[in-house]
Amino acid sequence: MADGDGLMSVDYEVYGKVQGVFFRKYTQGEAKRLGLVGWVQNTSHGTVQGQIQGPTARVRELQEWLKKIGSPQSRISRAEFSNEKTIEALEHKEFQIVK
């Protein structure tokens, strides 16, 4: 399988000024635009974390967006990705903002 085929899942955490700047709403919008599923939430230590699932090429696009773009008022210092794996089927129905 070439990179870009098949489904993958990856967890993420984004650091910087990412709370109080509509980061979760913009992340949800970008994920939906790319046809991805998963979730996003604020953490108690000022970061945003979540999980992305979908076609590998699209997941890679959202990873780049999380590293470099974010919401208009955000200032991303770094994004970390973990638990990257190939999956047989999506484990979420949509991309949700978790409160």
Side-chain angles (χ1 to χ4, degrees):
M1 242 186 238
D3 194 41
D5 293 343
L7 298 174
M8 72 173 290
S9 176
V10 66
D11 297 342
Y12 62 90
E13 188 163 7
V14 185
Y15 298 78
K17 185 182 179 197
V18 292
Q19 288 191 9
V21 292
F22 301 100
F23 198 91
R24 292 175 301 165
K25 181 176 170 37
Y26 276 86
T27 300
Q28 181 187 47
E30 188 67 9
K32 286 184 172 182
R33 186 184 74 76
L34 291 168
L36 300 171
V37 299
W39 55 273
V40 60
Q41 72 178 15
N42 286 338
T43 69
S44 60
H45 51 276
T47 65
V48 169
Q49 69 179 11
Q51 185 176 75
I52 314 162
Q53 292 186 347
T56 300
R58 294 293 176 101
V59 170
R60 297 278 183 240
E61 282 185 63
L62 188 58
Q63 285 179 296
E64 285 302 304
W65 186 91
L66 288 167
K67 283 193 273 193
K68 298 178 178 157
I69 300 171
S71 66
Q73 270 107 37
S74 67
R75 286 200 302 280
I76 300 163
S77 58
R78 75 182 193 277
E80 293 180 353
F81 301 96
S82 60
N83 300 320
E84 188 173 298
K85 61 188 177 193
T86 302
I87 55 174
E88 293 298 315
L90 299 174
E91 298 162 356
H92 307 282
K93 292 198 184 322
E94 58 187 355
F95 198 95
Q96 295 184 310
I97 295 174
V98 178
K99 301 288 182 203

